[in-house]
Amino acid sequence: EVQLVESGGGLVQPGGSLRLSCAASGFTFNNYAMAWVRQAPGKGLEWVSAITASGGITYYADSVKGRFTISRDNSKNTLFLQMNSLRAEDTALYFCSKCRVLVASGGYYFDFWGQGTLVTVSS
Amino acid sequence: SYVLTQPPSVSVAPGKTARITCGGNNIGSKNVHWYQQKPGQAPVLVIYHDSDRPSGIPERFSGSNSGNTATLTISRVEAGDEADYYCQVWDSNSAHQGVFGAGTQVTVL
């Protein structure tokens, strides 16, 4: 059974930093791309970032580019999101998700999701 | 960046058919995926690659995609189908980025 368990969320002041983790189990982690998707309170889903299975290529939403860094440790089956220069608008529930790749187009979709970890940016 | 447009809400009586649209410029040339999210829960993939169903998803859920509109159809709607539904594509034309629609709240009357 696929399990994705996020941690590391909390309350942080504007301009501060936070590192999220996602522990994966139930599948061969180093065979799959992974992603972070967030959801502000009462709002819709927003894709944040993705990383290839090897970790060699990363993708970011314009809203976080230059502030967030996605990475992974395949030896520990763990995905990370380093968030710097946090803003109030980054307040959201952050979901870790397992990606599937569309061979023809190279695009991703998300076939399993964790329960999320809440990040609150406020003074 | 690529924009997906969904109606904010759809209401449907039990046993009837709900159709949720997702509009985008020439979306028929992209692969569209759909997620169901119930209150307080993580999203669940219900349709991928326009019309394929993951294992465990009832046959009542189906999808289509052509021209500028993709559609998620829920047949014989049940009370348990009440949820928010999001469409998603991967925009490979510019920077590789994921794109979600704003979501459609389905209410079962």
Side-chain angles (χ1 to χ4, degrees):
Chain A
E1 178 194 3
V2 172
Q3 287 199 343
L4 300 169
V5 180
E6 302 92 337
S7 61
L11 175 63
V12 61
Q13 291 188 339
S17 298
L18 215 52
R19 190 193 198 202
L20 306 184
S21 299
C22 171
S25 60
F27 64 102
T28 305
F29 184 71
N30 59 12
N31 282 353
Y32 292 93
M34 299 291 293
W36 291 96
V37 177
R38 68 185 181 184
Q39 186 170 36
K43 302 297 184 182
L45 301 174
E46 180 188 14
W47 173 80
V48 173
S49 182
I51 186 168
T52 55
S54 67
I57 301 174
T58 57
Y59 307 104
Y60 297 95
D62 292 343
S63 58
V64 306
K65 200 172 296 182
R67 299 188 299 123
F68 290 10
T69 302
I70 191 172
S71 62
R72 62 193 296 162
D73 184 339
N74 284 346
S75 68
K76 297 183 178 178
N77 291 354
T78 304
L79 176 72
F80 302 101
L81 186 67
Q82 177 67 43
M83 304 186 297
N84 298 331
S85 303
L86 283 162
R87 307 166 180 168
E89 53 265 37
D90 295 318
T91 294
L93 186 63
Y94 283 74
F95 294 102
C96 163
S97 59
K98 172 176 168 286
C99 297
R100 297 301 299 269
V101 179
L102 295 162
V103 176
S105 64
Y108 293 156
Y109 63 97
F110 316 110
D111 63 346
F112 287 97
W113 301 61
Q115 290 301 309
T117 185
L118 182 62
V119 172
T120 303
V121 184
S122 174
S123 56
Chain B
S1 60
Y2 195 76
V3 176
L4 296 173
T5 301
Q6 296 183 240
S9 62
V10 166
S11 298
V12 58
K16 299 300 184 182
T17 298
R19 292 180 179 85
I20 305 159
T21 59
C22 177
N25 183 34
N26 197 25
I27 197 173
S29 67
K30 298 182 179 297
N31 294 288
V32 179
H33 321 289
W34 292 90
Y35 305 86
Q36 175 195 68
Q37 187 181 31
K38 296 181 180 179
Q41 297 185 19
V44 172
L45 178 70
V46 294
I47 292 289
Y48 66 98
H49 196 189
D50 297 339
S51 59
D52 291 333
R53 269 188 321 277
S55 61
I57 300 302
E59 292 183 5
R60 300 184 298 102
F61 288 83
S62 63
S64 63
N65 184 18
S66 179
N68 291 319
T69 305
T71 303
L72 173 68
T73 300
I74 311 173
S75 304
R76 303 179 299 283
V77 166
E78 302 173 357
D81 298 331
E82 192 162 279
D84 294 327
Y85 291 83
Y86 296 89
C87 58
Q88 178 252 320
V89 301
W90 188 265
D91 182 12
S92 302
N93 291 337
S94 52
H96 288 254
Q97 295 185 334
V99 180
F100 285 96
T104 298
Q105 183 176 58
V106 170
T107 300
V108 181
L109 301 171

